[in-house]
Amino acid sequence: EPEVTQTPSHQVTQMGQEVILRCVPISNHLYFYWYRQILGQKVEFLVSFYNNEISEKSEIFDDQFSVERPDGSNFTLKIRSTKLEDSAMYFCASSLNRDRKYSNQPQHFGDGTRLSIL
Amino acid sequence: EDQVTQSPEALRLQEGESSSLNCSYTVSGLRGLFWYRQDPGKGPEFLFTLYSAGEEKEKERLKATLTKKESFLHITAPKPEDSATYLCAVVNTDKLIFGTGTRLQVFP
């Protein structure tokens, strides 16, 4: 069964450094997402991406964050200058399509990248 | 504001002891309610989508139902391998809004 893959599984970075988290969505999916989960808390939406542009972003997704689909298979999340509070599990997800008027197809998640900021 | 509340926070069951998990939601115009299973250190694994009140979906020992205000995940005769955190989420435009989950432990 096709799956979303994320690398690395664990990233340790010094505060203030840039970090890039990588994802390979399911190949025929068109919509891509990043979520994060701070330890013991809810899964929170960060950003959605469709047709090579951001379609929605949350308040968490400030100027320090950016997303890119550099080629036909990868989807990346960059944090320019990491803070201690960026420590979390970051999940990538993808979905096949979305009927804007009526309903949404399920989002399928990868196993995440654990980001630890020192 | 769209919101999802799950109860109980944690549930311990003996193997074979059936029970239900609750997900209450408030959303402006439901476009889908999703159930996921999350194992420790893993991403949410999709289980079910429900789109309208009265809808039901089944998969092995799990059955999800939906009303206008809540959804239930019924677990019939659970086994230890059903132990996981079960997450409920509603969709608002692009994003999923998750509840905090119910942590289920099934003992042999």
Side-chain angles (χ1 to χ4, degrees), chain A residues 48 55-56 98 104 107, chain B residues 31 36 51 93-96:
Chain A
S48 58
S55 52
E56 189 172 352
R98 178 166 62 84
N104 288 56
Q107 297 179 22
Chain B
R31 294 172 58 187
Y36 287 86
Y51 290 111
T93 58
D94 281 346
K95 61 183 179 288
L96 289 176

Side-chain angles (χ1 to χ4, degrees), chain B residues 46-65:
Chain B
F46 171 70
L47 294 173
F48 301 110
T49 310
L50 299 165
Y51 290 111
S52 56
E55 191 174 359
E56 297 183 353
K57 294 271 179 74
E58 277 189 75
K59 180 180 177 179
E60 296 180 355
R61 294 177 292 282
L62 300 177
K63 179 180 175 180
T65 61

Side-chain angles (χ1 to χ4, degrees), chain B residues 9-74:
Chain B
E9 284 187 18
L11 183 62
R12 292 164 57 102
L13 298 174
Q14 203 71 34
E15 184 173 3
E17 180 186 0
S18 302
S19 189
S20 297
L21 282 54
N22 177 263
C23 171
S24 299
Y25 64 89
T26 53
V27 64
S28 50
L30 182 68
R31 294 172 58 187
L33 184 142
F34 300 87
W35 282 98
Y36 287 86
R37 169 189 171 131
Q38 187 175 28
D39 291 297
K42 299 288 188 180
E45 176 190 347
F46 171 70
L47 294 173
F48 301 110
T49 310
L50 299 165
Y51 290 111
S52 56
E55 191 174 359
E56 297 183 353
K57 294 271 179 74
E58 277 189 75
K59 180 180 177 179
E60 296 180 355
R61 294 177 292 282
L62 300 177
K63 179 180 175 180
T65 61
L66 181 66
T67 72
K68 287 187 177 179
K69 293 185 177 179
E70 56 192 351
S71 177
F72 291 93
L73 185 66
H74 306 279

Side-chain angles (χ1 to χ4, degrees), chain A residues 42-113:
Chain A
K42 293 182 183 184
V43 177
E44 301 175 285
F45 170 79
L46 292 178
V47 66
S48 58
F49 191 85
Y50 169 69
N51 200 25
N52 281 319
E53 61 182 24
I54 290 173
S55 52
E56 189 172 352
K57 60 183 180 180
S58 71
E59 292 177 355
I60 303 167
F61 194 88
D62 62 21
D63 292 345
Q64 295 300 311
F65 291 85
S66 62
V67 289
E68 193 178 32
R69 188 154 162 83
D71 53 44
S73 59
N74 291 285
F75 180 51
T76 62
L77 174 69
K78 182 194 290 187
I79 310 175
R80 271 182 260 284
S81 177
T82 50
K83 307 183 190 72
L84 293 175
E85 54 264 37
D86 293 328
S87 295
M89 183 75 94
Y90 287 80
F91 294 110
C92 173
S94 67
S95 65
L96 180 59
N97 57 31
R98 178 166 62 84
D99 180 333
R100 280 187 173 272
K101 188 174 180 183
Y102 295 112
S103 62
N104 288 56
Q105 294 290 320
Q107 297 179 22
H108 296 269
F109 287 75
D111 280 339
T113 293

